């Protein structure tokens, strides 16, 4: 993987990013198991210096190079400043990362990244790390996880859209936005619209109407209108729903990422994938699939329309 080497083989993978609590580590664990079951050799690389309890098999760990607690203690920095220092330290030690990754040639890579949003919206250290990986012939896609419960709050969803757009423009990688924890979405309240409205980011003027009914947001309607205009003018943000416990959902996300980074699997993996998808549902996949959740919202909306028509 020498820098600038055009003859070296390509390496494919994902950089898993997103705010704290969005499910990045859980996603890496689930995707490692899912890909392993279809025959893909997966290496998980932990780039989060604050990540202590990792459920997945970690092949490369930034803790061997630097840890957040050590930085905070020795440099008297807070968590945010400490994380930024750790990423800058990683950027200054590319040779360490290159040596570690070289031991896993021919593998598919999952990079578990920190949860500090600033690292993906305007700070350059991680962006430079991704750019260096590209020079080493890595073909990566950014998987940006967002907690699906933000869909239940129009104000928060607009904020999520702005953050996702800013991340896409700053990171400069093929990008797949993911609504995580879909199996828990109904615990946070009922969605105002069909799930497709949020995943496809359809006409956002309807969200503005919902915000107008809130006394707090009513005073900021003009600001929200301008934010929505920016999001719609770029027309880049859309989401793939994800339930890590559902193999159909995992397959959907995996295929979206494979399309984004150009990965092309062989016949053996295809046969393994088909066998996995056709197998009886096992103990690992108890939760209701995302499609079932979506169907319930479609049916509830249709019923509400019928009731309004009857009232007229």
């Amino acid at each position: 993987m020498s820098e600038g080497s055009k003859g070296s083989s390509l390496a494919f993978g994902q950089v898993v990013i997103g705010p704290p609590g969005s499910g990045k580590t859980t996603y890496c664990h689930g995707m490692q198991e899912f890909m392993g079951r279809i025959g893909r050799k997966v290496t998980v690389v932990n780039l989060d210096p604050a990540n202590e309890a990792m459920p997945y098999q970690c092949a490369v760990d930034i803790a061997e190079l630097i840890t957040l607690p050590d930085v905070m203690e020795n440099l008297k920095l807070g968590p945010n400043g400490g994380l930024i220092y750790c990423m800058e330290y990683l950027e200054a030690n590319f040779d360490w990362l290159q040596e570690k990754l070289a031991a896993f040639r021919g593998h598919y890579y999952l990079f578990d990244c920190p949860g500090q949003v600033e690292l993906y919206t305007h700070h350059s250290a991680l962006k430079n790390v991704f750019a260096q990986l590209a020079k080493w012939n890595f073909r990566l896609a950014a998987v940006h996880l967002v907690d699906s419960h933000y869909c239940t709050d129009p104000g928060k969803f607009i904020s999520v859209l702005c953050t996702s757009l800013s991340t896409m423009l700053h990171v400069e990688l093929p990008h797949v936005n993911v609504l995580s924890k879909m199996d828990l979405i109904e615990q946070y309240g009922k969605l105002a619209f069909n799930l497709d409205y949020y995943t496809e980011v359809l006409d956002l003027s309807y969200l503005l109407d919902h915000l107008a009914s809130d006394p707090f947001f009513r005073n900021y309607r003009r600001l929200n209108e301008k934010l929505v205009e920016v999001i719609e003018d770029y027309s880049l943000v859309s989401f793939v729903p994800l339930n890590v416990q559902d193999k159909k959902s995992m397959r959907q996300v995996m295929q979206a990422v494979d399309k984004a980074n150009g990965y092309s699997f062989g016949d053996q993996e295809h046969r393994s994938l088909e066998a996995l998808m056709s197998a009886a549902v096992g103990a690992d996949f108890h939760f209701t699939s995302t499609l079932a959740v979506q169907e319930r919202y479609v049916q509830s909306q249709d019923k509400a329309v019928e009731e309004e028509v009857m009232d007229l």
Side-chain angles (χ1 to χ4, degrees):
M1 290 190 298
S2 59
E3 184 173 339
S5 174
K6 296 182 180 180
S8 58
S9 60
L10 295 177
F12 292 89
Q14 309 174 20
V15 292
V16 184
I17 62 180
S22 58
K24 298 183 295 298
T25 297
T26 301
Y27 171 86
C28 288
H29 184 210
M31 190 58 74
Q32 181 186 44
E33 288 190 344
F34 184 81
M35 288 183 171
R37 292 173 68 177
I38 61 174
R40 195 179 298 191
K41 294 187 294 184
V42 179
T43 294
V44 182
V45 180
N46 175 45
L47 295 184
D48 185 357
N51 205 350
E52 297 178 351
M54 293 170 288
Y56 50 70
Q57 296 178 359
C58 182
V60 180
D61 190 356
I62 192 175
E64 299 176 17
L65 178 69
I66 192 170
T67 65
L68 181 60
D70 289 343
V71 169
M72 292 174 62
E73 180 180 354
N74 296 326
L75 300 181
K76 308 304 178 186
L77 293 173
N80 290 341
L83 271 174
I84 290 176
Y85 180 89
C86 289
M87 293 302 100
E88 291 175 344
Y89 192 81
L90 174 63
E91 181 185 2
N93 288 273
F94 280 140
D95 54 341
W96 174 86
L97 183 61
Q98 184 177 22
E99 180 182 351
K100 291 293 183 180
L101 296 177
F104 302 96
R105 294 179 185 274
H107 286 217
Y108 187 95
Y109 297 84
L110 296 174
F111 293 88
D112 189 2
C113 298
Q116 189 177 0
V117 176
E118 296 95 311
L119 293 171
Y120 314 115
T121 56
H122 60 272
H123 196 266
S124 61
L126 261 182
K127 174 184 176 181
N128 294 338
V129 171
F130 300 155
Q132 184 62 48
L133 288 170
K135 292 179 181 178
W136 295 336
N137 281 332
F138 277 78
R139 296 297 178 262
L140 302 173
V143 178
H144 184 217
L145 299 182
V146 175
D147 198 314
S148 61
H149 86 266
Y150 290 121
C151 295
T152 62
D153 187 315
K156 290 180 180 178
F157 187 65
I158 290 178
S159 177
V160 162
L161 293 174
C162 291
T163 302
S164 299
L165 177 60
S166 178
T167 300
M168 294 175 75
L169 297 176
H170 181 73
V171 171
E172 296 181 347
L173 283 176
H175 213 89
V176 177
N177 292 302
V178 174
L179 286 176
S180 63
K181 307 178 186 178
M182 282 302 301
D183 51 301
L184 303 176
I185 188 171
E186 292 180 317
Q187 295 184 9
Y188 299 106
K190 188 175 179 62
L191 296 181
F193 305 102
N194 177 17
L195 186 61
D196 284 345
Y197 177 85
Y198 300 94
T199 57
E200 300 301 325
V201 189
L202 301 177
D203 189 350
L204 296 179
S205 63
Y206 292 104
L207 280 184
L208 293 176
D209 293 337
H210 267 260
L211 287 173
S213 62
D214 188 309
F216 176 79
F217 287 106
R218 189 182 302 135
N219 298 325
Y220 300 96
R221 182 178 179 89
R222 185 63 177 162
L223 172 62
N224 287 318
E225 286 176 350
K226 291 301 180 181
L227 291 176
V228 164
E229 285 180 14
V230 171
I231 296 166
E232 293 185 330
D233 285 347
Y234 276 96
S235 190
L236 290 174
V237 184
S238 62
F239 296 94
V240 180
L242 171 66
N243 171 6
V244 173
Q245 302 294 336
D246 179 38
K247 58 184 177 182
K248 292 182 180 178
S249 180
M250 291 291 284
R251 178 186 187 181
Q252 183 182 19
V253 172
M254 185 189 74
Q255 291 177 330
V257 176
D258 285 349
K259 182 178 180 180
N261 65 12
Y263 181 87
S264 178
F265 53 75
D267 291 339
Q268 181 57 48
E269 180 175 311
H270 180 71
R271 288 194 294 269
S272 299
L273 180 60
E274 291 302 320
L276 174 63
M277 298 308 299
S278 62
V281 176
D284 294 336
F285 302 102
H286 285 308
F287 292 99
T288 306
S289 71
T290 303
L291 293 178
V293 175
Q294 179 176 349
E295 184 177 356
R296 286 202 295 276
Y297 281 115
V298 173
Q299 291 174 346
S300 63
Q301 274 205 321
D302 292 342
K303 184 177 180 181
V305 171
E306 290 177 2
E307 290 175 351
E308 290 180 4
V309 172
M310 293 299 292
D311 291 340
L312 294 175

